[in-house]
Amino acid sequence: MRIYPKYTEAELKKLGLVGKLPEHIGIIMDGNGRWAKQRLMPRSAGHRAGMEALQDIVRTSHSLGIGALTVYAFSTENWGRPAAEIDALMSLLVEYFYKEIDELDANNVRIRTLGELSRFAPKLRTLMETAVQRTENNTGLNFSIAINYGSRAEIVRAVKMLVEEGIPAESITEKCFAEHLYTGELPELDLIIRTAGEQRLSNFLLYQAAYAEFVFTETLFPAFTPEVYCDCIKEFMHRTRRFGKVKE
Ligand code: IPE
Ligand code: IPE
Ligand code: MG
């Protein structure tokens, strides 16, 4: 089992990462299908390669000292894909949780899921719920997997929760609303990276993205190495964030 190193200031400097790192990064992991197509392989092979790329990204996030990493693994719209592809994705997810949980836990990673789990087969659902429970007291990287996730569904769910809790309209604030989203306990989203060239959110973290920076890379997710990841973070670190104010 690998214990991930923590980079020192000097190592971060060597990587060109000087300054304030993003606290919370979201990644839209896109391009698995195109990666496989380029290699005349089935789309499922692209998803497998994507899963392997993800392992390195999680390790790197830990090493860099990023507070929270949220990855988009399966959208509410992805149910519209062919059944064989969905089956392959579900099997990969089962494999991922089986294989990775011990290492993630040993590295103090806290796992969360974003999305409605009731639609998944009991085996996968139990695996995910067990991983979440097992790591809930971990204090390292907050690693969240958006699965059967759609931001519109998330917002509607939050509204329903507020109504069911009987919270009067005048008590509903942005803070209280945000606490009812899946990301309620996570820090503010700073950076969204989307691989594979498309420049859209595809229903990912709409509310949370209000002041996030966007970095788009042409790299397909299976080819998204820690080096490319660091380049995206570097780009973020060169941005000027104004939050509506005037920067002197
Ligand atoms: C992203 O890769 C993974 C999921 C959406 C599950 P795609 O499967 O969307 O790959 P492309 O966009 O077709 O290349
Ligand atoms: C977004 O990718 C969803 C995930 C990465 C899980 P899609 O490939 O489904 O998005 P569109 O169809 O290009 O918008
Ligand atoms: Mg896609």
Side-chain angles (χ1 to χ4, degrees):
M1 196 182 318
R2 279 166 70 165
I3 295 298
Y4 318 147
K6 267 264 191 267
Y7 294 153
T8 60
E9 285 287 326
E11 282 168 319
L12 289 173
K13 202 171 162 193
K14 232 164 111 187
L15 290 166
L17 299 170
V18 186
K20 198 175 167 350
L21 285 161
E23 173 88 353
H24 183 180
I25 303 178
I27 305 182
I28 302 174
M29 309 187 289
D30 197 19
N32 294 351
R34 277 163 279 176
W35 183 92
K37 195 172 176 198
Q38 284 173 357
R39 287 161 182 75
L40 308 176
M41 288 155 90
R43 290 179 64 85
S44 58
H47 294 313
R48 174 169 292 283
M51 182 176 88
E52 281 157 16
L54 176 61
Q55 289 162 346
D56 273 344
I57 298 306
V58 176
R59 289 178 185 134
T60 305
S61 302
H62 171 96
S63 295
L64 294 172
I66 303 292
L69 171 72
T70 301
V71 299
Y72 203 8
F74 193 85
S75 73
T76 46
E77 290 73 38
N78 288 149
W79 292 108
R81 295 192 178 199
E85 182 173 350
I86 295 175
D87 286 350
L89 272 165
M90 296 304 141
S91 304
L92 272 172
L93 281 163
V94 169
E95 190 182 321
Y96 182 82
F97 279 95
Y98 258 129
K99 276 207 322 217
E100 292 302 306
I101 179 66
D102 288 341
E103 183 175 304
L104 293 171
D105 192 23
N107 283 282
N108 201 20
V109 173
R110 178 165 179 186
I111 301 171
R112 286 182 179 81
T113 56
L114 278 60
E116 180 51 58
L117 301 188
S118 58
R119 191 154 169 191
F120 295 108
K123 185 179 173 189
L124 174 56
R125 191 176 165 178
T126 306
L127 265 173
M128 292 191 286
E129 286 169 350
T130 308
V132 171
Q133 277 162 18
R134 179 169 157 187
T135 62
E136 72 185 348
N137 293 319
N138 287 353
T139 54
L141 173 71
N142 285 290
F143 174 44
S144 308
I145 305 171
I147 176 168
N148 188 24
Y149 173 85
S151 200
R152 287 183 173 175
E154 175 186 38
I155 290 167
V156 171
R157 173 179 171 273
V159 172
K160 284 186 179 163
M161 283 164 79
L162 289 164
V163 171
E164 278 163 12
E165 287 166 26
I167 300 182
E170 62 274 16
S171 305
I172 300 176
T173 58
E174 287 184 13
K175 183 172 176 288
C176 132
F177 186 78
E179 283 165 3
H180 285 76
L181 299 172
Y182 290 116
T183 48
E185 293 176 346
L186 297 173
E188 190 76 15
L189 183 67
D190 294 310
L191 166 64
I192 292 185
I193 299 170
R194 182 165 185 149
T195 61
E198 247 69 68
Q199 302 194 353
R200 54 177 172 258
L201 281 175
S202 303
N203 209 5
F204 184 56
L205 303 180
L206 305 182
Y207 187 90
Q208 297 85 340
Y211 265 104
E213 296 291 325
F214 291 79
V215 172
F216 300 105
T217 168
E218 291 296 323
T219 306
L220 305 174
F221 192 72
F224 189 68
T225 56
E227 289 72 33
V228 187
Y229 183 40
C230 286
D231 284 346
C232 294
I233 296 174
K234 243 182 276 176
E235 188 173 332
F236 165 87
M237 289 165 83
H238 287 126
R239 301 267 177 92
T240 304
R241 301 177 82 190
R242 280 186 283 275
F243 301 100
K245 303 185 181 86
V246 178
K247 204 96 183 174
E248 272 137 49

